[in-house]
Amino acid sequence: MIKLKNIKKVYVTEDKKTNALKGLSIDMRKAEFVCILGPSGCGKTTLLNIIGGLDRYSSGDLIIDGKSTKNFTDEDWDTYRSRKVGFVFQSYNLISHQTVLENVETALVISGIGREERRKRAIQALVDVGLSEHLRKTPRQLSGGEMQRVAIARAIVNNPQMILADEPTGALDSENSVKIMELLKKISKDRLVITVTHNAELASEYATRTIKMKDGEILSDSAPYKDDSKVKSKESKEKTKNSFMPYNLAAKLSLKNLAGKKIRTALTSIASSIAVVGIALVLACSNGLNSFIDKIQKDTMSSIPITVSTSTYDLTPQIEAIFGYVSSTAKGENKNEENDKVFINHTIKNLLQAEGVTNEITDHFLNYLKGIDEKKVTYDAVKNVSKKVYRQLAIPVYSNGATKPVMVMESNSNSWSCLPSKDVVYEQYSLVAGNYPTEYNELMLVVDKNSSISDTVLAKHLFDLNAIDESKEYYTYDEILNNVLLNEYRLVLNDDYYYEDGGLYKEKTVDPATYIHKYYRPETKIETIKSSLLSVDYIKSVYSSIKCYDENPYSDDGATLKEMGIPLKIVGILKLKDDTQYGMLTSPIAYTRALDEKIIEYSATSKVVQAQLASPDKTVTDGKDISGNPSRVSELSKLGYAKLPTEVKFYPRTIKDKDYLLNYLDKYNEINGDNPDIKYVDNVGAVIEVVRVIVGGISAILMALTAISLVVSAIMIGIITYVSVIERTKEIGVLRSVGARKKDVVRLFVTETGIIGFISGVCGLILTVILTVPLNVLMANVTGVGGFVFLRWWNYIAFVFGAVILTIIAGLIPSFMASKKDPVKALRSE
């Protein structure tokens, strides 16, 4: 079975060579009890380690079952120890943080035995050595003799062909020494048992063969044996399954080791988690900022939607001008290859003016839009026509302050918000009073999330100039919806608004002072009347925007106000939702698309529109030349008429849907044939993109700075792992002696560092979640947004995974150092 041919072992140190074995040649029987005797330093243990594959011979050959081991690889030796050899050591070499049963099972796990089978075999081995009552105890709870019997059970559990015992009775009293020798003799009946001992008396009593050594040579052999079988070549050797330490064993050993050092593990994990907390908080804030930006973009996509208009402005050049240097670089304009020139990045022009964008919105384009996915994007084809809207106001007309009701033009009616579909509106607003418009002449009042409107805005839209008086704090919903002086405007149609004068059409509007002079105070100079009006604060604040309808609003008897135009009435109030930052309705007055259609219907037959249609190259209001179809469309729009939409507003539901929309519009320009290309304006997207780049850059810098703590954490993990390697050196030797490979040792410590990383990641995330609470309170006070600081679910996974990977990398060097430890020296360590 075992054949040693001229085995020599030389230990080389810096200054000398030591010949531990000097050409030994021994043949061993398959079943015998061999005791090797000799003084200390004669080479007994070295011989035993070479036979067991823990140490390598310098020359000669060790033949196992007729196979030469000259060309054995490390894995061949590992498999040999795992399958054919069982070791029993003088100092027991049990793993202290495992139970008796787990110590015995270790050899079976590395051999690849299944859980149920190895549990059954381990228990039987312990029963055979008389330890059936101590399965769940740890080695510290056993006597010396009991620990040695555990070591023997571990050695025989895998049914090896040989048992190698190095001074198995050296640390035991006489009684336990006899028990151990009797047990070994019993085992030797069906396998080879080789024992190294100093006790010649025990050897003579129990051994079937005694070999005496001195100075690395054999002095005598009581029962020599000669095996004449031929040596098999390496190529003809049988294939056997390699030994392997599964991850669950590595994890179990690592967990028990860490559990035995709770305080150190806890402190290490918490210290490592600080780095996780730092980066996690930066990312959480970055998530909040990006989410906030997305929310703003989503809100502003409604308030300032992507637009295709006959005439509008693209602010992108201005934005690029502000960030001109970055923009040029991003576009790949790298002129600085010419080192002798300094190039000027021209941005002043773009800063001073936005780029005008004109489109011709055709039936072809409108038909193309019918194919858009309405689940992702809704759109509104707007025939945005001018509205001549007046409001009845009480204006002081006499020096004593007496007032008269006057029809005053709402000069900002063209900035009223057109209501998109009800579903789109209700995404951002709640109906808090009245009802949603169902008729063309019904309006909505729009308030912010605090149910407020500034007095400046009220005055701008002539809602009630008296509201400028600071004593007025609020209107009730009922007051607004039921008081005609508050909720009603008057729409004046073209034929009542324009009059012909010398072939041109003029507007029936006059300055307030001129109006008062004409109808009420013709004896007073206009300048005096104007001065009197400007002495009234609330009139003075809006005087420049007031125009009066140039007809006396009173009936002929001077008692009642004439009914003029079409009444437009506020029938409901919309309130901005708390979670919406910027609403789509930018004006406090909102109207339906049906109002524009009605104005177009009335305007189509009006004299001024008919005249303009008959004179396409000149304006009928001032006689100026018109060039280009967009300009003609724009001029008709000012007169309240449009055949085709003057703009199309798009409302994507999400940021992803916005990308779909832009691709859809771009595709039109690729397939539109002879039709003119369309240019869409996405001013919000341009601004948001710049903001996102800035936020991303700042977040990246903060993460990079915070990542310095990761380096410190990695160094600390490496040191802790190295300390663990030193502490577990003997355990490394034990595992190698039962067949664990070098890579298994690496796996053991990599698993330990991975567990520390997992604990660190979890602790760091728990601390992060705790810290987000006060941070969210702070940010809610600053921004008014709740849940500002947060991590997404995949961030949690990424941080735990990242912490594990980081600690594994940090522990690789000490792990590889552990794998390179000499198992013989490792077993001798204390």
Side-chain angles (χ1 to χ4, degrees), residues 219-488:
L219 294 180
S220 63
D221 187 345
S222 64
Y225 169 71
K226 183 66 175 176
D227 183 9
D228 295 327
S229 60
K230 294 182 180 180
V231 179
K232 299 177 185 177
S233 66
K234 178 175 170 56
E235 288 74 14
S236 64
K237 67 178 183 180
E238 298 177 3
K239 297 290 182 181
T240 57
K241 185 179 179 181
N242 291 336
S243 60
F244 171 76
M245 178 190 287
Y247 286 101
N248 62 343
L249 175 60
K252 184 183 290 185
L253 290 172
S254 297
L255 281 171
K256 291 207 169 188
N257 179 61
L258 293 173
K261 303 175 180 64
K262 295 183 180 65
I263 295 178
R264 187 174 78 185
T265 301
L267 292 176
T268 303
S269 299
I270 292 173
S272 299
S273 69
I274 300 301
V276 176
V277 172
I279 295 180
L281 284 177
V282 172
L283 181 61
C285 292
S286 178
N287 285 342
L289 282 171
N290 283 310
S291 180
F292 186 58
I293 292 169
D294 286 342
K295 185 70 172 70
I296 292 174
Q297 183 175 10
K298 188 175 184 299
D299 292 343
T300 50
M301 280 193 309
S302 299
S303 58
I304 311 176
I306 296 170
T307 304
V308 174
S309 177
T310 54
S311 180
T312 187
Y313 288 97
D314 184 1
L315 300 179
T316 303
Q318 288 180 310
I319 297 166
E320 288 189 354
I322 296 171
F323 299 93
Y325 187 80
V326 175
S327 178
S328 297
T329 304
K331 292 180 178 179
E333 297 175 9
N334 186 11
K335 298 178 180 179
N336 291 327
E337 292 177 357
E338 301 180 46
N339 296 326
D340 59 343
K341 298 177 182 178
V342 176
F343 291 94
I344 299 172
N345 188 3
H346 292 283
T347 61
I348 294 176
K349 181 180 178 181
N350 288 339
L351 276 172
L352 295 177
Q353 61 183 24
E355 181 180 349
V357 176
T358 59
N359 287 292
E360 184 177 346
I361 298 177
T362 63
D363 288 325
H364 182 267
F365 177 62
L366 294 175
N367 289 331
Y368 176 75
L369 293 182
K370 293 178 181 178
I372 204 166
D373 187 347
E374 294 185 359
K375 293 181 180 179
K376 297 180 178 180
V377 180
T378 58
Y379 68 92
D380 200 1
V382 182
K383 295 178 180 178
N384 198 358
V385 293
S386 176
K387 293 173 277 292
K388 284 76 177 178
V389 176
Y390 284 80
R391 185 74 175 259
Q392 178 183 330
L393 290 178
I395 292 181
V397 297
Y398 299 111
S399 56
N400 63 2
T403 62
K404 289 287 185 180
V406 177
M407 297 304 293
V408 178
M409 184 178 184
E410 215 285 56
S411 60
N412 295 290
S413 59
N414 290 330
S415 65
W416 284 1
S417 298
C418 184
L419 293 167
S421 68
K422 186 187 295 186
D423 292 340
V424 174
V425 172
Y426 282 173
E427 286 182 7
Q428 296 185 344
Y429 295 88
S430 300
L431 181 66
V432 293
N435 56 271
Y436 202 84
T438 56
E439 301 295 332
Y440 78 91
N441 64 335
E442 293 180 338
L443 307 175
M444 298 290 285
L445 180 68
V446 184
V447 298
D448 65 17
K449 61 184 66 177
N450 297 314
S451 293
S452 65
I453 304 177
S454 72
D455 54 4
T456 305
V457 174
L458 287 173
K460 177 182 176 182
H461 292 279
L462 303 181
F463 189 79
D464 183 4
L465 293 183
N466 292 290
I468 296 174
D469 182 0
E470 293 183 0
S471 64
K472 184 67 177 178
E473 294 183 359
Y474 63 86
Y475 293 104
T476 65
Y477 292 160
D478 286 340
E479 279 183 288
I480 294 171
L481 298 179
N482 296 313
N483 188 340
V484 69
L485 295 177
L486 294 176
N487 67 19
E488 187 174 275

Side-chain angles (χ1 to χ4, degrees), residues 674-802:
D674 295 332
N675 294 282
D677 287 349
I678 59 98
K679 299 175 183 177
Y680 54 82
V681 175
D682 182 20
N683 290 325
V684 172
V687 175
I688 292 296
E689 202 57 40
V690 171
V691 173
R692 198 181 298 281
V693 169
I694 294 172
V695 170
I698 294 173
S699 298
I701 291 171
L702 290 175
M703 283 189 185
L705 293 174
T706 311
I708 295 174
S709 60
L710 288 178
V711 177
V712 177
S713 175
I715 294 172
M716 180 185 67
I717 293 295
I719 294 171
I720 294 297
T721 306
Y722 180 69
V723 171
S724 182
V725 169
I726 294 173
E727 291 175 343
R728 301 176 70 182
T729 299
K730 180 167 284 192
E731 183 180 339
I732 295 170
V734 172
L735 292 173
R736 293 300 307 280
S737 71
V738 295
R741 303 165 299 172
K742 290 181 178 180
K743 62 179 71 175
D744 293 328
V745 175
V746 173
R747 181 179 296 124
L748 175 66
F749 288 97
V750 163
T751 303
E752 181 173 323
T753 56
I755 292 171
I756 293 175
F758 178 80
I759 297 172
S760 300
V762 171
C763 289
L765 291 175
I766 291 173
L767 288 172
T768 301
V769 171
I770 294 172
L771 290 173
T772 56
V773 175
L775 283 174
N776 276 321
V777 172
L778 175 64
M779 295 306 295
N781 292 330
V782 173
T783 65
V785 178
F788 189 93
V789 182
F790 69 93
L791 290 174
R792 296 181 173 87
W793 65 267
W794 60 84
N795 294 146
Y796 290 96
I797 296 174
F799 272 112
V800 173
F801 182 76

Side-chain angles (χ1 to χ4, degrees), residues 90-163:
Q90 177 181 356
S91 55
Y92 325 127
N93 288 339
L94 301 178
I95 300 174
S96 60
H97 48 259
Q98 286 189 309
T99 64
V100 167
L101 184 60
E102 288 170 340
N103 266 280
V104 176
E105 279 188 302
T106 299
L108 295 173
V109 175
I110 292 175
S111 296
I113 307 301
R115 186 176 184 277
E116 291 185 7
E117 176 64 17
R118 70 172 180 259
R119 179 59 55 91
K120 178 181 176 182
R121 286 167 61 172
I123 292 174
Q124 185 59 51
L126 288 166
V127 169
D128 291 343
V129 298
L131 293 175
S132 58
E133 298 179 357
H134 303 286
L135 303 182
R136 305 299 175 187
K137 292 183 179 179
T138 61
R140 295 186 182 91
Q141 296 172 296
L142 303 179
S143 66
E146 288 170 337
M147 284 192 284
Q148 192 62 285
R149 278 188 279 165
V150 174
I152 293 173
R154 181 180 61 193
I156 65 173
V157 71
N158 210 19
N159 195 28
Q161 294 178 0
M162 72 182 83
I163 301 295

Side-chain angles (χ1 to χ4, degrees), residues 527-725:
E527 291 78 7
T528 303
I529 297 173
K530 181 176 180 180
S531 177
S532 177
L533 286 172
L534 292 177
S535 67
V536 181
D537 287 342
Y538 71 86
I539 295 294
K540 180 180 180 181
S541 64
V542 293
Y543 184 86
S544 60
S545 64
I546 290 179
K547 290 183 179 180
C548 296
Y549 187 66
D550 191 14
E551 285 187 13
N552 193 331
Y554 281 105
S555 59
D556 293 337
D557 60 11
T560 59
L561 192 68
K562 290 180 180 179
E563 292 294 331
M564 57 175 291
I566 299 172
L568 305 177
K569 186 176 181 180
I570 295 173
V571 297
I573 300 175
L574 290 172
K575 180 182 176 182
L576 188 67
K577 291 182 178 179
D578 289 339
D579 62 348
T580 303
Q581 300 303 313
Y582 301 99
M584 66 183 72
L585 306 176
T586 56
S587 169
I589 309 298
Y591 67 98
T592 64
R593 179 67 52 229
L595 177 60
D596 279 339
E597 296 293 343
K598 202 68 175 179
I599 292 172
I600 293 169
E601 179 186 337
Y602 286 130
S603 299
T605 58
S606 66
K607 295 176 183 178
V608 66
V609 169
Q610 291 296 318
Q612 186 62 68
L613 290 173
S615 176
D617 297 326
K618 288 184 179 292
T619 63
V620 295
T621 55
D622 56 14
K624 293 181 179 179
D625 292 336
I626 300 175
S627 60
N629 189 59
S631 297
R632 296 187 186 99
V633 171
S634 178
E635 191 63 29
L636 286 169
S637 175
K638 293 176 184 177
L639 300 176
Y641 177 77
K643 184 177 181 181
L644 290 172
T646 52
E647 64 179 348
V648 182
K649 297 180 179 180
F650 297 92
Y651 301 96
R653 299 189 183 277
T654 65
I655 306 300
K656 186 176 180 180
D657 292 340
K658 174 191 168 183
D659 295 333
Y660 158 78
L661 168 64
L662 298 184
N663 289 331
Y664 190 83
L665 295 177
D666 289 337
K667 188 176 180 181
Y668 173 78
N669 291 335
E670 298 175 6
I671 63 174
N672 67 349
D674 295 332
N675 294 282
D677 287 349
I678 59 98
K679 299 175 183 177
Y680 54 82
V681 175
D682 182 20
N683 290 325
V684 172
V687 175
I688 292 296
E689 202 57 40
V690 171
V691 173
R692 198 181 298 281
V693 169
I694 294 172
V695 170
I698 294 173
S699 298
I701 291 171
L702 290 175
M703 283 189 185
L705 293 174
T706 311
I708 295 174
S709 60
L710 288 178
V711 177
V712 177
S713 175
I715 294 172
M716 180 185 67
I717 293 295
I719 294 171
I720 294 297
T721 306
Y722 180 69
V723 171
S724 182
V725 169

